[in-house]
Amino acid sequence: MLLDIPCVLFAGGKSSRMGEDKALLPFSTFKTLTEFQLSKLNQIFKTVYISCKDKSKFNFEANYIEDIATDEVFAPTLGFISAFNALKEESFFVISVDTPFISKTEIEQILKEDDDSLDACVAKTEQGIHPMCGVYHRSLENKFLKMLRENNHKLGYLLKNSQSKFSFFKEEQAFLNLNHPHEYKKALDILAINTTSL
């Protein structure tokens, strides 16, 4: 059964550490990492949206949420505000385009631990919290607007100063984040190993 909560896939980052737009990097059998993620998430959620600055960089059909402002803010803050603006629901699940190994198992654990009394419920491992994998509630909308006004884009600070729950995972690999070229290569190696072992 598909999950009813909307999922917002964040794919509007600057990718400065990667040196090229990681949302457009080829991955698995897909032309782009974004299409890989979208295909996987469409098998988990009823509705998936792609948060981006400009949907024209993608050449495939999808539900897009473009940032409501065209300034040079590349932090997720603007994406959250745009999602709250576009969606009617009281909460949504967020995932970053550059974490390709997060699966339904992790998503369902987070959703199970979330409840209406919280502002957010996000993943955590020994390495720290993973703000771009979790549920965010509309109760945070005004805090995001305040952060944008103050040019403060630290999600960790927001979470620690809100009613947040951190869902703990022992395994780090699911949360491998593709920020640098060597991490992208590592992800491709993991894919190759998994494909071979099937």
Side-chain angles (χ1 to χ4, degrees):
M1 182 189 277
L2 295 173
L3 301 173
D4 212 18
I5 186 171
C7 176
V8 181
L9 178 64
F10 277 69
K14 203 171 184 179
S15 304
S16 53
R17 289 172 287 182
M18 185 65 73
E20 58 184 304
D21 191 340
K22 53 191 169 186
L24 301 178
L25 290 170
F27 200 77
S28 184
T29 57
F30 294 85
K31 289 181 179 178
T32 67
L33 184 56
T34 307
E35 288 168 279
F36 171 85
Q37 289 280 59
L38 183 62
S39 174
K40 179 179 70 177
L41 294 169
N42 274 332
Q43 296 172 53
I44 300 172
F45 295 92
K46 282 184 182 177
T47 51
V48 181
Y49 300 87
I50 297 174
S51 169
C52 58
K53 297 196 84 63
D54 181 2
K55 67 181 182 182
S56 66
K57 74 176 183 178
F58 299 112
N59 64 357
F60 54 89
E61 288 295 314
N63 299 313
Y64 293 100
I65 299 176
E66 291 183 294
D67 285 351
I68 53 176
T70 55
D71 55 23
E72 289 304 301
V73 175
F74 282 89
T77 319
L78 196 55
F80 277 97
I81 293 167
S82 302
F84 280 124
N85 194 54
L87 303 176
K88 294 176 182 176
E89 288 85 357
E90 286 300 307
S91 60
F92 51 84
F93 197 95
V94 308
I95 188 166
S96 177
V97 73
D98 60 0
T99 50
F101 298 119
I102 292 170
S103 70
K104 190 174 185 178
T105 302
E106 289 80 34
I107 291 166
E108 286 186 329
Q109 178 179 314
I110 293 166
L111 288 171
K112 191 175 181 181
E113 294 187 24
D114 179 55
D115 70 60
D116 291 342
S117 69
L118 297 172
D119 294 318
C121 183
V122 303
K124 182 179 182 180
T125 61
E126 291 288 355
Q127 289 185 359
I129 64 170
H130 300 274
M132 294 306 296
C133 178
V135 184
Y136 284 79
H137 294 255
R138 192 168 291 277
S139 52
L140 286 174
E141 187 172 9
N142 287 334
K143 284 189 177 182
F144 274 111
L145 288 165
K146 185 172 185 283
M147 286 170 67
L148 187 64
R149 286 196 302 270
E150 296 174 355
N151 199 28
N152 170 16
H153 306 292
K154 295 176 180 174
L155 291 178
Y157 176 83
L158 169 74
L159 291 166
K160 286 171 184 173
N161 289 277
S162 303
Q163 286 293 110
S164 305
K165 185 169 184 178
F166 302 102
S167 184
F168 186 76
F169 296 88
K170 287 183 180 178
E171 294 296 322
E172 298 281 356
Q173 184 171 291
F175 302 94
L176 175 64
N177 195 259
L178 314 189
N179 283 320
H180 301 90
H182 73 271
E183 290 160 335
Y184 174 52
K185 183 183 182 304
K186 182 179 179 180
L188 294 178
D189 290 343
I190 291 168
L191 266 183
I193 291 166
N194 289 345
T195 305
T196 306
S197 63
L198 289 176

